[in-house]
Amino acid sequence: MTDPTAPSAFPGGPGLFRLDPAVAHLNHGSYGAVPLPVQEAQEALRAQAHADPDAFFNGVSERLAAARGRIAARLGADPDGLSFISNATEGANLALDAIPLAEGDEILVTDHGYGTVVEAAARRAKVTTVALDPRLPDEDAVREAVLAGVTPRTRVAVLDHVSSPTARLIAGPRLLADLADRGITTVVDGAHTPGMLAEPIAAGADFWFGNLHKWGYAPSGSGILAVAPAHRARVRSLSPSWEDHRGFPLSVEYRATFDYTGWLAAPEGLDLLERLGADRVRAHNSALAGYGADLLARIPGMTPLPHTPGLALRSLLLPPGVAGTREAATALREELAAKLRIRVLVWPWPGGGGLRVCGQVYNRPEEYERLAAALPAYLR
């Protein structure tokens, strides 16, 4: 029976999605899920493209600018400093290509960084990796650890805004200000912040990128890159564009016969969030993730990690020896999906990995209860 103190279900939440009701989808943070109204908006745009391709593609630049303006208004950003992108990895490559680097320069990353974003940095310069213990107690401890990793050759810092595995704030305002004072260019991976944070763009970052298709309810492959004014003239598309002469942001967005419908429908996702009540959704999702984490913390050997209040995702360390490698973490994740029909993120860590749960308007307390009841049998 559901705990009477459990958060209430979000009215109408499950009905907004086409998710399989037999599966407990507790991993919204990895891929998101597209609500039905946004799916319908994208399908209408696809119908337009199929009905008259010439009209659609000849006018797409202006439509992108209009959609970008709607996104900027929702995110509290300058539309001239934003560009649509496909995902965080693309954002990292665009940002790093725009930063002049000399022989011997170094890029600072952390061991919480997303793999392909870290790899983008490693392709361009020597990387210094800061180890962040998942059990660091607060934002100040994270800040001190990052600053301790700065060397005289550090020119760029690539940091998570909110870390994916450990679900905590890393690129906070004080840390970004301290790095700026040292003359270090900051590149912030905000994959999780649009839709989940009321102020999703990291203030003070030179470059910031985020996914709209996670917490912003946009179609898959919808992201945004924000660039400070001093860097915009150096941002170039990763491949030549017929709009290169117009400069950032359109030169980055325009991709000939690309499927633009996800980007053009992306504002519908943020509009839906506002209609549902953004603050109400965020409070519900955070409370639900916290409820699930509290249940899991009662399992012997599970250790809750410090978390940033208000986030819709929470992480715990698994018992020592469980999911210590990428292969072991993947195997446990897939076993839980196949045998329990529960989707969670299991992430590897030396000596023992971790497990992350998310909260979304389609989730119900009993899904977390089912996971907590069954998980101990898989931790031996």
Side-chain angles (χ1 to χ4, degrees):
M1 178 179 292
T2 298
D3 187 327
T5 65
S8 301
F10 195 94
L16 288 170
F17 298 84
R18 283 188 175 135
L19 293 166
D20 184 348
V23 177
H25 301 273
L26 306 182
N27 188 29
H28 187 89
S30 283
Y31 304 105
V34 186
L36 285 166
V38 181
Q39 293 183 40
E40 291 162 0
Q42 185 177 18
E43 286 305 314
L45 288 161
R46 283 190 174 135
Q48 293 176 23
H50 292 316
D52 192 342
D54 286 54
F56 183 86
F57 287 106
N58 288 337
V60 77
S61 297
E62 289 69 28
R63 295 181 75 169
L64 286 171
R68 188 188 334 116
R70 290 172 63 189
I71 295 290
R74 290 296 188 198
L75 301 185
D78 174 7
D80 292 332
L82 289 183
S83 172
F84 282 114
I85 56 175
S86 296
N87 52 44
T89 302
E90 182 183 1
N93 281 277
L94 286 163
L96 291 165
D97 273 354
I99 301 171
L101 292 170
E103 186 71 27
D105 287 348
E106 297 178 0
I107 300 176
L108 181 147
V109 301
T110 80
D111 57 359
H112 286 41
Y114 191 69
T116 55
V117 171
V118 172
E119 178 59 28
R123 288 186 177 187
R124 289 163 173 82
K126 179 184 176 182
V127 164
T128 299
T129 303
V130 174
L132 296 177
D133 189 322
R135 292 157 292 203
L136 288 173
D138 52 33
E139 185 181 340
D140 283 340
V142 171
R143 171 178 156 272
E144 291 168 5
V146 171
L147 293 176
V150 172
T151 77
R153 293 188 175 275
T154 302
R155 297 292 177 266
V156 181
V158 180
L159 302 169
D160 287 302
H161 196 168
V162 171
S163 65
S164 180
T166 51
R168 67 183 305 165
L169 182 74
I170 291 180
R174 290 185 62 200
L175 174 56
L176 292 176
D178 287 338
L179 291 168
D181 287 344
R182 290 162 170 77
I184 296 170
T185 301
T186 51
V187 177
V188 176
D189 180 352
H192 288 280
T193 61
M196 187 165 63
L197 297 186
E199 297 180 358
I201 298 179
D206 293 291
F207 300 86
W208 171 97
F209 46 85
N211 291 320
L212 300 172
H213 59 247
K214 293 180 186 284
W215 307 96
Y217 295 157
S220 300
S222 302
I224 206 83
L225 169 68
V227 182
H231 304 284
R232 292 173 189 172
R234 292 196 304 274
V235 179
R236 300 182 63 188
S237 60
L238 298 177
S239 58
S241 158
W242 285 111
E243 299 285 3
D244 276 357
H245 65 286
R246 296 175 67 174
F248 179 84
L250 188 55
S251 61
V252 168
E253 294 172 336
Y254 187 78
R255 303 173 187 199
T257 49
F258 175 78
D259 184 356
Y260 298 99
T261 60
W263 293 355
L264 295 177
E268 302 295 332
L270 292 177
D271 287 352
L272 173 62
L273 179 62
E274 289 301 317
R275 290 197 300 273
L276 294 173
D279 290 342
R280 181 183 175 209
V281 169
R282 293 178 187 123
H284 170 272
N285 293 348
S286 178
L288 203 51
Y291 176 72
D294 289 345
L295 292 177
L296 296 173
R298 301 172 192 173
I299 298 173
M302 297 285 286
T303 305
L305 291 176
H307 67 281
T308 301
L311 299 186
L313 59 176
R314 295 276 291 274
S315 281
L316 302 92
L317 288 179
L318 293 161
V322 177
T325 66
R326 182 176 179 180
E327 294 74 17
T330 299
L332 177 56
R333 181 196 71 198
E334 293 306 307
E335 188 175 22
L336 295 175
K339 295 183 178 179
L340 302 179
R341 307 210 74 185
I342 297 175
R343 288 288 183 186
V344 294
L345 176 69
V346 180
W347 45 275
W349 201 260
L355 184 147
R356 188 194 71 194
V357 292
C358 302
Q360 189 47 265
V361 296
Y362 53 73
N363 289 127
R364 306 179 310 278
E366 53 265 33
E367 294 175 312
Y368 304 90
E369 294 159 8
R370 181 154 67 91
L371 172 62
L375 185 61
Y378 296 86
L379 302 181
R380 297 169 186 164

